[in-house]
Amino acid sequence: MLMPNLNYAQLKDSYLFAHISKRIASYLKEHPGTRLLRMGIGDVSLPLCDEVIRALHSAVEDQAHAETFHGYMPECGAPFLREAIADHYGKRKIQLSPDEVFVSSGASDELGDILDLFESRSVVQVLEPAYPAYVDANTMAGRTILHLNSGEDNGFLPEPDESVRPDLIYLCSPNNPTGAVFNRDQLQRWIDYANAIGAVLLFDAAYEAFIEDPTCPRSIFELSGARTCAIEICSLSKTAGFTGTRLGYTVIPRELNRYGMNLNQMWVRNRTTKTNGVSYIIQKGASAVFTERGQQQIQANLSYYKENAGILMKALDELGIRYYGGKNAPYIWLRCPGNKTSWDFFEELLENIQVIGTPGAGFGACGEGYFRLSSFASRDDTQEASKRLLAYFSGQTSGAK
Ligand code: PLP
C-alpha cells in the first residue's frame, strides 16, 4: 500500500489563516450583509503602481509578436531582472553579482522550496512568535524544530541561545507578526553565532521596505560575515502590491558553502530541475519596481500603509492598550486587554464590532495573549476599525497597559 508522508499527521489541524476564513464564513452565514473590517490577514488593498501596470501591458504586447515573443524563461530568473535587483542592492552599497539573485514566484514558495538544500536530519530553529509557514514546512519534511520564544522582556527580539546547535535558523525582520525589527548589533550577533556554529540563517526580508530607521538593516548583507552564513528571501508582495501577481527573489551568496558544497550552485541545480522560470510578463512588471519612477510610486503606497498604522496606533494609545510594532513594520502586535486569550479576543472583536484581527496563538505558544492588526486594509476600513475600537473599549481598558 502506498505510504503517504506521515509527517503531515503532525501538522496542526489547519493553517491559521484557513481557520480564520472558516470562522468568518460561518459568521457571515449567520449575519449576512455585515460590514466586516478585515484588519487581520496580511493582504494588500492598493493596486499595482502605474509603472508596473505599464510594464505588464507592454510585456503582454511583446508576447503577441514573433519578434518579441518569449517562451521558457531562464530557470533562475531573467538576466534583466537579476541585474535590476543586484543594482538595487548596489545603490544601498551591497555588492551582489546578478547570479547571486534568484527570481521566485514569491517568498512563501521559496521558503518551502529552499528546504531542499538541507537534509531532513538538520535541526531547525524558529524564533517565535513566527510566520506559521516556517514550522509547518519543516514539520512536513520531518525536521526537528527548536522553538526559541521571545516576549516583552526582549522586545520580541531574542538573542542566540548558546546552549543549542541548530543547523538552520529562521530570522524575520521586520517580524511578522510582532513588527519587531533587529538593529545592526542584534543582527550581527546572530551572524557571528551562525558562523561560529556553521548554521545557515534563512533571513526573511518580506517587509524590509517598511524600514525607515537607519540603525535597522534592510538586508542582512549590510553586515559583515553574512555572505558565509545567510540566505535572504524577499518578496514584492508587500513592497509593491504583488500578492496576487506573484514575484519574489532570493539572494544566495557565492561564498555560502557547507561540507564542501556550494549552496548557490546547489540552488541553480535545484531550480533548473524543478522550475521552468517565472513568467516573462511578471518579471517585466517586477523590473519596473526597480526603476526610479517605480521606486517613487511604491513609496507612495508604502506611506499610505504607514499612515494606516499611525491611525490604529493612535486609537490604541488613546485606549491605553499596550502594543509593539507599527513603526518600520506593517503589523501592530497588541496585548489583549483584560488578559484574554487571543482566540477569545478574536471572538470578542468579531461579535461586538466586526473587526477581524489575527490571534497571536497562531504564531506559536508565546503568541498567546497577543493579537495582530495589519495596516494593509483600505483607509476607510482602517478609520472605521479604529473608530469602532475606540467606541467599544473606551472606559474598559484601564489597567490594560
Ligand atoms: N514571509 C513572511 C514573513 C510573510 O508574512 C509572508 C506573507 O504574508 C511571506 C513570507 C510570503 O510572501 P509571498 O506573498 O511573497 O509568498
Side-chain angles (χ1 to χ4, degrees):
M1 193 169 64
L2 172 78
M3 173 79 86
N5 181 345
L6 297 180
N7 297 319
Y8 280 63
Q10 306 303 317
L11 291 166
K12 285 205 187 129
D13 56 347
S14 83
Y15 187 64
L16 170 68
F17 298 107
H19 190 70
I20 293 171
S21 302
K22 243 167 68 188
R23 177 63 190 105
I24 293 172
S26 79
Y27 182 85
L28 282 175
K29 213 169 151 193
E30 287 158 30
H31 307 85
T34 310
R35 181 180 175 196
L36 291 180
L37 302 172
R38 296 167 192 265
M39 313 305 292
I41 199 157
D43 203 351
V44 292
S45 53
L46 292 174
L48 295 169
C49 67
D50 290 348
E51 205 61 10
V52 169
I53 292 296
R54 208 195 326 257
L56 289 170
H57 279 303
S58 134
V60 169
E61 194 55 32
D62 287 348
Q63 296 298 69
H65 309 283
E67 316 79 64
T68 48
F69 171 77
H70 286 76
Y72 286 127
M73 297 301 290
E75 296 88 345
C76 299
F80 64 78
L81 182 54
R82 299 179 89 184
E83 279 158 25
I85 295 169
D87 282 354
H88 179 67
Y89 275 85
K91 287 184 193 130
R92 290 189 276 144
K93 302 202 169 41
I94 300 167
Q95 297 314 316
L96 291 184
S97 155
D99 63 14
E100 294 177 309
V101 177
F102 294 83
V103 175
S104 75
S105 298
S108 277
D109 314 43
E110 200 78 341
L111 282 160
D113 293 351
I114 202 100
L115 295 174
D116 271 4
L117 295 181
F118 308 98
E119 67 157 31
S120 58
R121 279 176 303 171
S122 42
V123 174
V124 172
Q125 185 172 55
V126 177
L127 280 58
E128 292 187 341
Y131 183 52
Y134 307 155
V135 167
D136 286 357
N138 282 288
T139 303
M140 289 175 190
R143 292 199 177 81
T144 301
I145 301 172
L146 307 174
H147 302 264
L148 180 60
N149 289 343
S150 67
E152 298 190 24
D153 52 334
N154 53 23
F156 296 98
L157 292 166
E159 293 284 324
D161 174 359
E162 305 281 349
S163 70
V164 290
R165 283 281 175 278
D167 302 303
L168 199 56
I169 303 166
Y170 285 84
L171 299 180
C172 180
S173 178
N175 183 272
N176 175 8
T178 66
V181 189
F182 283 116
N183 67 28
R184 302 180 76 80
D185 291 344
Q186 290 164 328
L187 193 53
Q188 189 66 56
R189 286 196 283 279
W190 278 102
I191 292 170
D192 295 345
Y193 168 73
N195 277 320
I197 65 170
V200 170
L201 300 174
L202 283 183
F203 188 71
D204 185 340
Y207 300 100
E208 55 86 17
F210 286 82
I211 297 179
E212 288 176 338
D213 181 345
T215 66
C216 297
R218 287 177 57 181
S219 165
I220 197 164
F221 298 112
E222 288 176 34
L223 299 177
S224 65
R227 290 183 61 88
T228 51
C229 69
I231 293 176
E232 179 157 290
I233 295 180
C234 301
S235 167
L236 293 190
S237 282
K238 315 301 161 72
T239 304
F242 271 60
T243 51
T245 307
R246 308 304 302 145
L247 194 119
Y249 52 95
T250 298
V251 177
I252 309 183
R254 285 180 181 153
E255 291 93 316
L256 189 55
N257 299 305
R258 289 294 179 273
Y259 289 92
M261 294 182 77
N262 181 268
L263 274 75
N264 177 297
Q265 283 311 300
M266 286 168 69
W267 195 234
V268 172
R269 190 70 182 81
N270 181 294
R271 296 292 82 184
T272 49
T273 303
K274 292 197 168 183
T275 77
N276 268 326
V278 173
S279 140
Y280 166 73
I281 297 166
I282 304 299
Q283 294 197 67
K284 272 292 186 185
S287 67
V289 169
F290 299 99
T291 61
E292 213 176 307
R293 284 169 67 100
Q295 285 293 302
Q296 282 164 3
Q297 292 175 1
I298 64 160
Q299 281 310 326
N301 289 5
L302 291 165
S303 300
Y304 176 95
Y305 296 131
K306 288 175 188 175
E307 283 162 28
N308 279 353
I311 290 167
L312 291 169
M313 289 193 292
K314 188 164 172 281
L316 297 174
D317 283 336
E318 278 180 41
L319 291 168
I321 295 177
R322 194 162 69 230
Y323 63 88
Y324 296 81
K327 289 197 183 104
N328 301 301
Y331 295 119
I332 296 169
W333 181 243
L334 60 95
R335 176 94 210 149
C336 300
N339 287 326
K340 292 204 173 63
T341 70
S342 58
W343 278 106
D344 283 352
F345 189 62
F346 172 90
E347 287 294 333
E348 181 179 8
L349 293 193
L350 175 62
E351 291 287 346
N352 292 290
I353 54 172
Q354 293 75 50
V355 169
I356 317 282
T358 313
F363 300 98
C366 62
E368 185 52 282
Y370 294 90
F371 199 71
R372 190 191 79 175
L373 294 177
S374 126
S375 60
F376 288 123
S378 68
R379 179 61 46 83
D380 250 20
D381 280 5
T382 306
Q383 279 169 335
E384 179 61 23
S386 69
K387 233 163 61 189
R388 291 187 194 178
L389 284 166
L390 281 167
Y392 180 69
F393 284 110
S394 289
Q396 277 194 30
T397 50
S398 46
K401 248 191 163 168

